[in-house]
Amino acid sequence: MSTVPEKPSLDNIESKWMAYWDEQSTNAFDRSVSRSDVFAIDTPPPTVSGSLHMGHVFSYTHTDTIARYWRMRGKSVFYPMGWDDNGLPTERRVQNYFGVSCDPSVPYQKDLVPPFRGDPPKDHKAVPISRPNFIELCEELTAEDEKIFEDLFRRLGLSVDWSLLYATIDERSRRASQRAFLRNLARGEAYTQEAPTLWDVDFKTAVAQAELEDRERPGAYHTLTFHRSDGNGDILIDTTRPELLAACVALIAHPDDDRYKPLFGTTVRTPLFNVEVPVLAHPLAQQDKGTGIAMCCTFGDLTDVTWWRELQLPTRAIIGRDGRIISDAPEEITDENGQRHYASLVGKSAKQAQTAIAALLAESGEMVGEPRPINHPVKFYEKGDRPLEIVTSRQWYIRNGGRDQSLRDDLLARGESLTWHPDHMRHRYSNWVEGLNGDWLISRQRYFGVPVPVWYPLSHTGEINYDTPLVPDEAQLPIDPSTDVPAGYTADQRDKPGGFTGDPDVMDTWATSSLTPQIAAQWEDNADLFSRVFPFDLRPQGHDIIRTWLFSTMVRSHFEHGTAPWSNAALSGWILDPDRKKMSKSKGNVVTPIDLFDSYGSDAVRYWAAGARPGIDTAFSEDQMKVGRKLATKLLNVSKFVLGFGEADTSISPTHALDSAMLHRLADVVDEATKAFESYDYARALERTESFFWWFCDDYVELVKTRAYATHSEEGALSARIALRRALSVLHRLFAPILPFATEEVWSWWQNGSVHRAPWPIRTDLVTETGFTIHAETHLDAVCGALGEIRRAKTEAKVSQKAIVEEVVVHASEGVISSITTSWADIADAGSVQKWTAHVSDTTDLTVHVTLAPPA
RNA sequence: GGGCGUUUAGCUCAGUUGGCUAGAGCAUCUCCCUUACAAGGAGAGGGUCGGGGGUUCGAGUCCCUCAACGCCCACCA
């Protein structure tokens, strides 16, 4: 407890109180309490490769207000932070920064010195290094960014317990991730399979359904002529991907399509390549698309995959993993011209091949007319730059209900069991789960990630036996199969016939971040801690990653623990720029958070963020930050003022009706704010508190300040001071979750300890239900109504509010007159009124005639 | 094509089970240097609550319908 400063200021309060909170361990999680006294938050680990922006400030503030509320409610708040530094974006930065590339076949080198630290020359050829070395460099580079992130989050006032920090690539995360995978494998929930999968040709990795997005791209319909094998004419096919013609395995029309019914079971020959393919029926063919009959290739899109599987068609892949036409033509192309045509396409990208084949078709006369340009949606990897291809490869999957109705039902039920904030977000989840069309593909052909922790035995001829993977003991985790050796083998047996080979892949970043509750709670590493926090209370996150992060976390927890990982999911909205467009760097409308903290203070920025209702998109608004700044300043000033009246024994009830009425009004605000916070609605809690606060400052304090100075009587002054101090204490605590710095500052002037460890206010801090006979709201409306009329009269007369009023005549109902009479002395003080008379009238309206004194 | 959300003052938004004359902040305008605060204060103007229909004594609120905008999912020859 210190004294009230002469000139209160918001300057530098952030650094002052940040240091204090560290010193006092204000935000530390108490590991001794039982689960029922814990509030556990599964904080989203931000991606470290980028920079923190207003979106982070926005959503993390929301969570922080909730954390602070529950801490004041006496819960031990488990509020960890994690860094998501596992994955592609980091990998790319490390390659560019150090001038290295990851090659899992290179052995680990202790104390490796990278060729560069920052800006390798343009002609530098990346030096291949082992995967463990590469991961070390990733950790080194991300550490710098993580420091910056931590500083920013501290400055924002997040009440995170920084001792709980984790990173998704750290040892604990890798161990948890591999352990969970191995358990999935042991229970049959993870499996490997060779199958056509969506493939990014630039990253050269498989991608999962959840990572897809559609982009509108220009394309062109080409009308191709297929020749009936019986010589009875041609069939026209519309396709946007003529470059796949050599991969054509069938023509397919709808079973009910009368135009093509007679052709089912017959064959046709492809243009240019002269390969015989069957004409088949399948209900997925759409009669109104193109010519109503489609060319099925291996593989142009996911429909092709379905046809290929269901109609048991052969495989004729022509696109390689680099997105180019492979050199080996399908052996079905026996025609000499066909082989020549194919050879002319080898090595071309899909786009180049399309141009080339269009020219060939035009030349051979097997294309009708010119290509007709269209715009159509094409599937992309969300981080990729080129359309996805479909290639056949061996991948690991985790079951997620995409191929199993009963599992799907179980996961839907888990989603239903959550309390969603806002509630309608539950539809995003069920919508996604119901639309799954396959299991979760978790393997990625990348390096910086958690390795798939298995090896495979090699036969005496060197064949990989995928059916009996060699798994490590859990005690060995984390492992890297590219350098570690499975039990029963020696290092020199690696990749030798009769030996073993390590799985070359890493797991999808979501395969690790789907375990954030387990990682943060130190699952299996610290059973005591885990039992005190799991399942968590809250998962806060963006609604754009319901299908990825939220759903995958649910899948893992369902399998491993047989429960949902949390009871509540709070989805935050987007930040829009003032023109209602989503903010983005490319538009140059991104303001950095630090500048805003410097300009308005952290509390003001938090105030803006907390004004947005849960899950609602919100416009970026510096105006709102100015308002927040004003609020924080006002809080300082009014606190100084109230405390300046001197101490009072607040255990005694105030005697004046106005004072009691004010406390009753505030007690209702406490109830509302409490109810709002319990349903995660920080915005409503703020709105109610703030609205009361401005009324308190503008009307109540003005009404009682003269009396509080002991101008009239000690008894009256005491009543006012008791009410003022009770209200102030409650207001400090009500604002604490939103304005942690300013409230801590004012709290320190007159209280011991942190406001953030003070108990959340309750009604009985303000009022006891006995001994108050008038209706608080009626009383306040009457008194403030009268004061308002006097103020209006002065404003209309264009005189100072300090101007003396000679007489006030009030006409009102008996009850209103009674209230005004009771508190008349305060009204007269606030309005500088010399004399007044009251008349009881039938009307419910309050009429006030004000006679101003002549200017002195 | 399926689902979800939004539509209230110039702007951003409240309006909780239907109930006085629909609210706030910002912006605009007027006034006031008033010993907590001029980085302040006091006031004013401004809305036929997206359109249409219905239920009701009474609808911003409930029902039907249409529209616009946004998002999610699916399809995509």
Side-chain angles (χ1 to χ4, degrees):
Chain A
M1 185 157 50
S2 63
T3 49
V4 182
E6 192 56 40
K7 183 76 183 166
S9 167
L10 294 172
D11 294 343
N12 302 316
I13 59 169
E14 285 98 346
S15 52
K16 175 178 166 186
W17 295 114
M18 275 157 55
Y20 173 80
W21 295 331
D22 277 348
E23 203 178 286
Q24 302 287 316
S25 299
T26 309
N27 303 322
F29 173 68
D30 180 350
R31 300 184 179 218
S32 70
V33 305
S34 63
R35 180 64 191 84
S36 59
D37 292 323
V38 166
F39 187 84
I41 300 168
D42 182 20
T43 316
T47 305
V48 175
S49 62
S51 54
L52 281 176
H53 49 77
M54 290 313 292
H56 291 105
V57 167
F58 184 68
S59 55
Y60 283 85
T61 296
H62 297 165
T63 306
D64 187 61
T65 63
I66 301 298
R68 289 183 180 278
Y69 166 76
W70 285 108
R71 194 175 290 113
M72 292 176 76
R73 283 292 301 272
K75 297 277 189 183
S76 181
V77 177
F78 185 78
Y79 189 11
M81 184 57 72
W83 305 130
D84 189 11
D85 45 14
N86 160 3
L88 269 178
T90 302
E91 196 177 296
R92 266 190 288 191
R93 288 185 57 232
V94 166
Q95 287 168 353
N96 297 334
Y97 186 85
F98 294 110
V100 297
S101 66
C102 181
D103 183 345
S105 68
V106 172
Y108 177 71
Q109 189 186 333
K110 201 166 164 13
D111 301 321
L112 175 124
V113 178
F116 296 94
R117 285 185 187 278
D119 296 323
K122 286 231 157 52
D123 58 352
H124 169 71
K125 197 160 181 294
V127 175
I129 61 172
S130 77
R131 185 157 69 190
N133 284 121
F134 192 84
I135 288 177
E136 283 173 5
L137 293 179
C138 288
E139 287 176 328
E140 181 185 328
L141 190 61
T142 53
E144 294 172 28
D145 292 335
E146 288 163 7
K147 185 74 184 62
I148 295 169
F149 274 35
E150 180 175 336
D151 288 348
L152 187 131
F153 277 152
R154 283 176 181 272
R155 177 82 186 272
L156 177 61
L158 296 191
S159 58
V160 160
D161 180 345
W162 289 97
S163 74
L164 303 173
L165 187 65
Y166 66 89
T168 55
I169 196 62
D170 69 19
E171 186 178 314
R172 181 147 54 93
S173 296
R174 297 204 304 275
R175 184 162 55 244
S177 181
Q178 293 186 333
R179 186 194 298 123
F181 171 83
L182 291 172
R183 292 195 184 179
N184 289 141
L185 177 61
R187 289 189 296 257
E189 295 146 5
Y191 62 92
T192 173
Q193 184 183 49
E194 180 146 356
T197 52
L198 288 158
W199 184 270
D200 186 290
V201 298
D202 291 315
F203 289 113
K204 297 188 179 60
T205 182
V207 301
Q209 185 186 357
E211 294 172 293
L212 305 183
E213 67 181 28
D214 285 350
R215 295 186 200 160
E216 199 68 28
R217 280 297 129 107
Y221 271 119
H222 299 66
T223 303
L224 274 50
T225 309
F226 282 66
H227 315 290
R228 288 177 61 169
S229 300
D230 59 14
N232 286 335
D234 295 337
I235 295 171
L236 299 182
I237 298 284
D238 277 347
T239 178
T240 55
R241 301 211 55 187
E243 68 273 21
L244 294 177
L245 182 56
C248 178
V249 290
L251 296 189
I252 296 173
H254 195 276
D256 300 335
D257 194 328
D258 292 332
R259 294 170 295 178
Y260 300 108
K261 267 183 184 171
L263 294 170
F264 293 147
T266 70
T267 63
V268 295
R269 304 195 76 85
T270 62
L272 294 182
F273 302 105
N274 200 26
V275 173
E276 186 170 26
V277 296
V279 180
L280 302 171
H282 193 281
L284 272 182
Q286 293 181 37
Q287 306 189 37
D288 55 350
K289 274 274 166 62
T291 57
I293 182 162
M295 160 174 108
C296 174
C297 306
T298 53
F299 298 93
D301 61 29
L302 292 171
T303 311
D304 285 344
V305 177
T306 306
W307 286 332
W308 167 80
R309 194 172 55 232
E310 295 187 6
L311 300 173
Q312 312 211 324
L313 299 168
T315 307
R316 265 165 229 164
I318 63 162
I319 301 264
R321 295 187 178 194
D322 57 358
R324 294 177 182 276
I325 306 294
I326 59 176
S327 54
D328 294 339
E331 57 189 24
E332 288 81 1
I333 300 178
T334 50
D335 181 280
E336 199 176 303
N337 279 335
Q339 286 172 349
R340 190 163 45 78
H341 288 140
Y342 188 89
S344 72
L345 300 171
V346 167
K348 290 190 191 309
S349 71
K351 210 173 164 183
Q352 293 164 340
Q354 181 172 121
T355 309
I357 208 156
L360 291 173
L361 285 161
E363 195 186 309
S364 74
E366 289 169 305
M367 182 165 69
V368 179
E370 290 294 308
R372 305 185 300 285
I374 52 157
N375 273 317
H376 63 154
V378 180
K379 284 201 188 311
F380 280 73
Y381 173 40
E382 60 190 359
K383 295 190 177 74
D385 299 319
R386 281 202 280 172
L388 293 170
E389 293 293 346
I390 294 172
V391 307
T392 298
S393 57
R394 176 165 292 278
Q395 303 290 346
W396 281 97
Y397 296 82
I398 290 180
R399 300 184 196 282
N400 67 356
R403 298 170 63 178
D404 175 348
Q405 189 61 46
S406 90
L407 176 57
R408 184 181 305 212
D409 290 343
D410 289 347
L411 290 167
L412 282 168
R414 292 268 182 238
E416 281 303 306
S417 78
L418 293 183
T419 304
W420 297 78
H421 309 277
D423 185 70
H424 68 255
M425 290 294 178
R426 66 174 64 252
H427 301 295
R428 300 272 179 104
Y429 178 93
S430 54
N431 222 330
W432 173 253
V433 178
E434 282 159 6
L436 286 168
N437 57 29
D439 282 332
W440 175 18
L441 195 168
I442 59 156
S443 46
R444 294 291 181 277
Q445 289 64 56
R446 305 303 307 177
Y447 320 111
F448 186 47
V450 178
V452 176
V454 300
W455 304 265
Y456 306 98
L458 297 177
S459 72
H460 292 286
T461 54
E463 298 273 309
I464 299 175
N465 184 351
Y466 289 105
D467 296 331
T468 55
L470 306 163
V471 299
D473 190 89
E474 281 191 7
Q476 293 173 262
L477 301 178
I479 63 136
D480 186 334
S482 73
T483 52
D484 293 316
V485 176
Y489 289 84
T490 55
D492 59 5
Q493 288 179 283
R494 182 181 296 276
D495 298 327
K496 299 279 167 55
F500 71 94
T501 189
D503 190 299
D505 292 345
V506 297
M507 290 189 268
D508 169 21
T509 183
W510 297 114
T512 299
S513 50
S514 60
L515 297 161
T516 51
Q518 290 85 347
I519 292 166
Q522 301 179 31
W523 169 55
E524 296 286 302
D525 292 341
N526 185 339
D528 180 74
L529 176 64
F530 190 77
S531 72
R532 292 177 199 276
V533 300
F534 191 91
F536 285 43
D537 294 273
L538 176 64
R539 156 62 73 83
Q541 64 162 79
H543 56 65
D544 54 327
I545 51 175
I546 289 174
R547 68 177 183 172
T548 49
W549 193 35
L550 193 148
F551 175 61
S552 62
T553 312
M554 187 67 92
V555 169
R556 304 310 283 284
S557 180
H558 173 75
F559 282 145
E560 186 60 42
H561 309 290
T563 175
W566 352 260
S567 45
N568 291 271
L571 289 308
S572 57
W574 295 110
I575 306 305
L576 308 173
D577 73 15
D579 302 327
R580 307 297 296 167
K581 300 274 163 38
K582 197 173 155 186
M583 291 186 84
S584 70
K585 279 182 193 164
S586 59
K587 287 201 224 86
N589 57 7
V590 172
V591 193
T592 69
I594 290 287
D595 291 342
L596 295 167
F597 295 157
D598 288 343
S599 302
Y600 305 106
S602 300
D603 282 343
V605 177
R606 291 172 62 100
Y607 170 88
W608 157 73
R613 301 204 114 69
I616 305 294
D617 293 348
T618 296
F620 175 79
S621 165
E622 288 196 44
D623 282 345
Q624 279 305 107
M625 294 174 201
K626 289 176 187 163
V627 175
R629 175 84 177 177
K630 208 172 108 170
L631 174 65
T633 303
K634 191 76 174 180
L635 186 62
L636 260 53
N637 283 317
V638 80
S639 298
K640 180 193 169 203
F641 190 50
V642 166
L643 296 173
F645 291 121
E647 296 196 22
D649 181 355
T650 52
S651 66
I652 300 167
S653 290
T655 49
H656 278 225
L658 180 61
D659 303 333
S660 281
M662 179 277 288
L663 293 176
H664 271 83
R665 179 175 277 189
L666 180 52
D668 289 345
V669 172
V670 168
D671 287 346
E672 282 191 87
T674 303
K675 197 173 145 203
F677 264 122
E678 285 188 349
S679 55
Y680 300 86
D681 194 347
Y682 47 82
R684 174 181 295 276
L686 168 60
E687 179 201 277
R688 294 304 147 105
T689 305
E690 186 189 12
S691 158
F692 173 89
F693 175 74
W694 285 108
W695 169 81
F696 174 81
C697 292
D698 294 341
D699 284 4
Y700 177 75
V701 173
E702 288 298 322
L703 280 163
V704 306
K705 69 182 184 186
T706 308
R707 173 158 58 90
Y709 279 129
T711 318
H712 305 296
S713 71
E714 276 303 326
E715 175 270 330
L718 199 60
S719 177
R721 289 180 198 172
I722 291 163
L724 284 164
R725 290 172 82 92
R726 281 189 187 177
L728 192 69
S729 165
V730 166
L731 283 168
H732 287 174
R733 286 177 282 152
L734 286 177
F735 276 128
I738 316 285
L739 310 174
F741 296 103
T743 51
E744 191 74 309
E745 172 72 16
V746 293
W747 188 256
S748 76
W749 296 343
W750 66 312
Q751 305 279 354
N752 290 313
S754 171
V755 69
H756 303 294
R757 287 287 192 172
W760 183 251
I762 52 175
R763 278 194 86 81
T764 50
D765 292 342
L766 296 161
V767 293
T768 51
E769 295 308 330
T770 56
F772 190 72
T773 53
I774 60 167
H775 189 269
E777 289 304 313
T778 308
H779 190 77
L780 295 173
D781 286 349
V783 172
C784 295
L787 178 63
E789 291 300 321
I790 294 165
R791 285 171 168 169
R792 191 209 317 274
K794 291 181 180 182
T795 297
E796 280 171 3
K798 302 195 173 184
V799 298
S800 161
Q801 289 297 321
K802 214 169 71 173
I804 306 290
V805 174
E806 203 168 86
E807 183 175 16
V808 168
V809 180
V810 178
H811 293 261
S813 66
E814 194 174 341
V816 171
I817 293 290
S818 162
S819 286
I820 294 176
T821 305
T822 304
S823 294
W824 178 257
D826 289 336
I827 300 171
D829 284 340
S832 307
V833 180
Q834 293 179 326
K835 190 177 113 187
W836 79 299
T837 52
H839 301 280
V840 174
S841 68
D842 296 339
T843 169
T844 53
D845 290 343
L846 169 69
T847 16
V848 179
H849 296 288
V850 177
T851 310
L852 288 162

